[in-house]
Amino acid sequence: MMKKFSANSKGIIRELITIIVLLIMVAISLLADYSILHIPNFFVLSIKDAENLFFTLFTVQASVSTVSIAIVSIINGLVNEYVLGISISRFIMNLKPSLLKHNRLIVANLVICILNYFCLSYCLFNACIALFVASIIITIIMVKEIYIIFMGKNFVRKEICEYVYEYYDLEILEDLNTELTAAIETGNSLVIQADFNAIRTIFEREAKKSN
């Protein structure tokens, strides 16, 4: 349990660092655009008549943002795939223990796209570049997180099982009970065995906590 907690903590710390770095990058770019902060010329973008270039860049960013929609389509294909009563799509989008959940990343990408439009309107070119880079990084994170789908159902099952054993609550137990009841009615022995094993593991953990 300590190892699992440590792994989750390290993952959250990495995500926090990513968020902070992106925010600092955008803030520095804005300050450079307004000439409030003096930074080396090497890091400051200064291009004459660059409107067309940045309109093209904005178009590229908008296209990149649509990748998130394609990713959602892939995840929605797993909405009827369940492991221990939890939908795989629900786990990836909302339940996976992470600050940068897919639903938040999708909203962030769309917000960045809107912010970039305003930066482009006010000729804040350095901020445009920073927001473009942030959008690319967010898209890469989304693709990385969804990669577990292509590693096979067994890998996804393992992640969901670890999540259930670590973060089980009343809602998860109700989902597990619903799946188990349906499996008993249909005679699905594999699901029955998996759900009973999960319930046994949860009871064992509760017993250890009581002791």
mmCIF file of all heavy atoms in Angstrom, residues 17-36:
data_model
loop_
_atom_site.group_PDB
_atom_site.id
_atom_site.type_symbol
_atom_site.label_atom_id
_atom_site.label_comp_id
_atom_site.label_asym_id
_atom_site.label_seq_id
_atom_site.Cartn_x
_atom_site.Cartn_y
_atom_site.Cartn_z
ATOM 1 N N ILE A 17 4.291 19.873 -11.086
ATOM 2 C CA ILE A 17 5.453 20.537 -11.677
ATOM 3 C C ILE A 17 5.150 20.940 -13.115
ATOM 4 O O ILE A 17 5.485 22.052 -13.558
ATOM 5 C CB ILE A 17 6.690 19.616 -11.623
ATOM 6 C CG1 ILE A 17 7.142 19.429 -10.171
ATOM 7 C CG2 ILE A 17 7.834 20.195 -12.457
ATOM 8 C CD1 ILE A 17 8.250 18.414 -9.998
ATOM 9 N N THR A 18 4.486 20.047 -13.870
ATOM 10 C CA THR A 18 4.119 20.353 -15.254
ATOM 11 C C THR A 18 3.204 21.568 -15.314
ATOM 12 O O THR A 18 3.408 22.481 -16.135
ATOM 13 C CB THR A 18 3.415 19.145 -15.902
ATOM 14 O OG1 THR A 18 4.279 18.016 -15.875
ATOM 15 C CG2 THR A 18 3.037 19.456 -17.343
ATOM 16 N N ILE A 19 2.187 21.607 -14.437
ATOM 17 C CA ILE A 19 1.248 22.730 -14.414
ATOM 18 C C ILE A 19 1.963 24.034 -14.082
ATOM 19 O O ILE A 19 1.759 25.071 -14.734
ATOM 20 C CB ILE A 19 0.114 22.462 -13.403
ATOM 21 C CG1 ILE A 19 -0.745 21.281 -13.864
ATOM 22 C CG2 ILE A 19 -0.755 23.705 -13.219
ATOM 23 C CD1 ILE A 19 -1.743 20.808 -12.821
ATOM 24 N N ILE A 20 2.827 23.984 -13.064
ATOM 25 C CA ILE A 20 3.543 25.184 -12.633
ATOM 26 C C ILE A 20 4.463 25.693 -13.737
ATOM 27 O O ILE A 20 4.518 26.902 -14.018
ATOM 28 C CB ILE A 20 4.342 24.896 -11.346
ATOM 29 C CG1 ILE A 20 3.382 24.657 -10.172
ATOM 30 C CG2 ILE A 20 5.285 26.054 -11.025
ATOM 31 C CD1 ILE A 20 4.058 24.154 -8.917
ATOM 32 N N VAL A 21 5.179 24.777 -14.397
ATOM 33 C CA VAL A 21 6.090 25.175 -15.481
ATOM 34 C C VAL A 21 5.319 25.833 -16.620
ATOM 35 O O VAL A 21 5.740 26.869 -17.162
ATOM 36 C CB VAL A 21 6.879 23.954 -15.996
ATOM 37 C CG1 VAL A 21 7.620 24.293 -17.291
ATOM 38 C CG2 VAL A 21 7.880 23.491 -14.943
ATOM 39 N N LEU A 22 4.171 25.251 -16.989
ATOM 40 C CA LEU A 22 3.364 25.828 -18.070
ATOM 41 C C LEU A 22 2.852 27.217 -17.702
ATOM 42 O O LEU A 22 2.876 28.140 -18.528
ATOM 43 C CB LEU A 22 2.194 24.898 -18.400
ATOM 44 C CG LEU A 22 2.547 23.556 -19.055
ATOM 45 C CD1 LEU A 22 1.294 22.731 -19.283
ATOM 46 C CD2 LEU A 22 3.290 23.764 -20.378
ATOM 47 N N LEU A 23 2.380 27.371 -16.449
ATOM 48 C CA LEU A 23 1.882 28.678 -16.012
ATOM 49 C C LEU A 23 2.997 29.719 -15.991
ATOM 50 O O LEU A 23 2.796 30.870 -16.416
ATOM 51 C CB LEU A 23 1.248 28.558 -14.619
ATOM 52 C CG LEU A 23 -0.075 27.786 -14.543
ATOM 53 C CD1 LEU A 23 -0.519 27.646 -13.096
ATOM 54 C CD2 LEU A 23 -1.155 28.482 -15.360
ATOM 55 N N ILE A 24 4.176 29.322 -15.514
ATOM 56 C CA ILE A 24 5.314 30.249 -15.483
ATOM 57 C C ILE A 24 5.711 30.637 -16.903
ATOM 58 O O ILE A 24 6.004 31.809 -17.190
ATOM 59 C CB ILE A 24 6.505 29.610 -14.735
ATOM 60 C CG1 ILE A 24 6.179 29.493 -13.244
ATOM 61 C CG2 ILE A 24 7.774 30.433 -14.937
ATOM 62 C CD1 ILE A 24 7.243 28.758 -12.448
ATOM 63 N N MET A 25 5.716 29.657 -17.811
ATOM 64 C CA MET A 25 6.084 29.927 -19.202
ATOM 65 C C MET A 25 5.140 30.942 -19.837
ATOM 66 O O MET A 25 5.578 31.901 -20.489
ATOM 67 C CB MET A 25 6.075 28.627 -20.000
ATOM 68 C CG MET A 25 6.419 28.782 -21.466
ATOM 69 S SD MET A 25 6.432 27.189 -22.331
ATOM 70 C CE MET A 25 4.686 26.723 -22.191
ATOM 71 N N VAL A 26 3.840 30.770 -19.612
ATOM 72 C CA VAL A 26 2.853 31.699 -20.169
ATOM 73 C C VAL A 26 2.989 33.077 -19.521
ATOM 74 O O VAL A 26 2.926 34.108 -20.203
ATOM 75 C CB VAL A 26 1.428 31.149 -19.975
ATOM 76 C CG1 VAL A 26 0.391 32.180 -20.394
ATOM 77 C CG2 VAL A 26 1.237 29.864 -20.779
ATOM 78 N N ALA A 27 3.190 33.108 -18.187
ATOM 79 C CA ALA A 27 3.312 34.390 -17.480
ATOM 80 C C ALA A 27 4.531 35.173 -17.956
ATOM 81 O O ALA A 27 4.451 36.386 -18.219
ATOM 82 C CB ALA A 27 3.405 34.133 -15.972
ATOM 83 N N ILE A 28 5.664 34.489 -18.104
ATOM 84 C CA ILE A 28 6.880 35.151 -18.576
ATOM 85 C C ILE A 28 6.686 35.679 -19.991
ATOM 86 O O ILE A 28 7.130 36.788 -20.334
ATOM 87 C CB ILE A 28 8.080 34.188 -18.510
ATOM 88 C CG1 ILE A 28 8.448 33.904 -17.049
ATOM 89 C CG2 ILE A 28 9.289 34.761 -19.254
ATOM 90 C CD1 ILE A 28 9.549 32.883 -16.878
ATOM 91 N N SER A 29 6.003 34.914 -20.823
ATOM 92 C CA SER A 29 5.762 35.344 -22.199
ATOM 93 C C SER A 29 4.901 36.598 -22.241
ATOM 94 O O SER A 29 5.169 37.520 -23.032
ATOM 95 C CB SER A 29 5.085 34.217 -22.987
ATOM 96 O OG SER A 29 5.892 33.071 -23.018
ATOM 97 N N LEU A 30 3.866 36.640 -21.401
ATOM 98 C CA LEU A 30 3.018 37.838 -21.340
ATOM 99 C C LEU A 30 3.804 39.056 -20.862
ATOM 100 O O LEU A 30 3.673 40.154 -21.422
ATOM 101 C CB LEU A 30 1.827 37.586 -20.407
ATOM 102 C CG LEU A 30 0.672 36.763 -20.980
ATOM 103 C CD1 LEU A 30 -0.302 36.398 -19.884
ATOM 104 C CD2 LEU A 30 -0.034 37.524 -22.097
ATOM 105 N N LEU A 31 4.616 38.867 -19.819
ATOM 106 C CA LEU A 31 5.433 39.968 -19.314
ATOM 107 C C LEU A 31 6.417 40.450 -20.364
ATOM 108 O O LEU A 31 6.690 41.659 -20.481
ATOM 109 C CB LEU A 31 6.177 39.523 -18.049
ATOM 110 C CG LEU A 31 5.298 39.238 -16.820
ATOM 111 C CD1 LEU A 31 6.142 38.697 -15.677
ATOM 112 C CD2 LEU A 31 4.553 40.498 -16.382
ATOM 113 N N ALA A 32 6.958 39.521 -21.156
ATOM 114 C CA ALA A 32 7.878 39.903 -22.229
ATOM 115 C C ALA A 32 7.147 40.673 -23.322
ATOM 116 O O ALA A 32 7.674 41.648 -23.878
ATOM 117 C CB ALA A 32 8.541 38.655 -22.813
ATOM 118 N N ASP A 33 5.929 40.259 -23.631
ATOM 119 C CA ASP A 33 5.139 40.968 -24.659
ATOM 120 C C ASP A 33 4.833 42.399 -24.245
ATOM 121 O O ASP A 33 4.806 43.300 -25.084
ATOM 122 C CB ASP A 33 3.832 40.210 -24.927
ATOM 123 C CG ASP A 33 4.038 39.016 -25.845
ATOM 124 O OD1 ASP A 33 4.840 39.125 -26.796
ATOM 125 O OD2 ASP A 33 3.419 37.962 -25.607
ATOM 126 N N TYR A 34 4.579 42.615 -22.948
ATOM 127 C CA TYR A 34 4.275 43.956 -22.444
ATOM 128 C C TYR A 34 5.528 44.720 -22.003
ATOM 129 O O TYR A 34 5.418 45.819 -21.456
ATOM 130 C CB TYR A 34 3.298 43.865 -21.270
ATOM 131 C CG TYR A 34 1.877 43.601 -21.693
ATOM 132 C CD1 TYR A 34 1.286 42.363 -21.464
ATOM 133 C CD2 TYR A 34 1.128 44.592 -22.327
ATOM 134 C CE1 TYR A 34 -0.026 42.114 -21.850
ATOM 135 C CE2 TYR A 34 -0.183 44.347 -22.712
ATOM 136 C CZ TYR A 34 -0.758 43.102 -22.476
ATOM 137 O OH TYR A 34 -2.063 42.862 -22.863
ATOM 138 N N SER A 35 6.706 44.113 -22.231
ATOM 139 C CA SER A 35 7.997 44.736 -21.889
ATOM 140 C C SER A 35 8.094 45.055 -20.396
ATOM 141 O O SER A 35 8.806 45.984 -19.992
ATOM 142 C CB SER A 35 8.214 46.015 -22.710
ATOM 143 O OG SER A 35 8.208 45.718 -24.097
ATOM 144 N N ILE A 36 7.374 44.304 -19.588
ATOM 145 C CA ILE A 36 7.446 44.487 -18.140
ATOM 146 C C ILE A 36 8.655 43.751 -17.571
ATOM 147 O O ILE A 36 9.326 44.231 -16.669
ATOM 148 C CB ILE A 36 6.154 43.966 -17.473
ATOM 149 C CG1 ILE A 36 4.958 44.795 -17.955
ATOM 150 C CG2 ILE A 36 6.267 44.013 -15.951
ATOM 151 C CD1 ILE A 36 3.627 44.291 -17.450
#
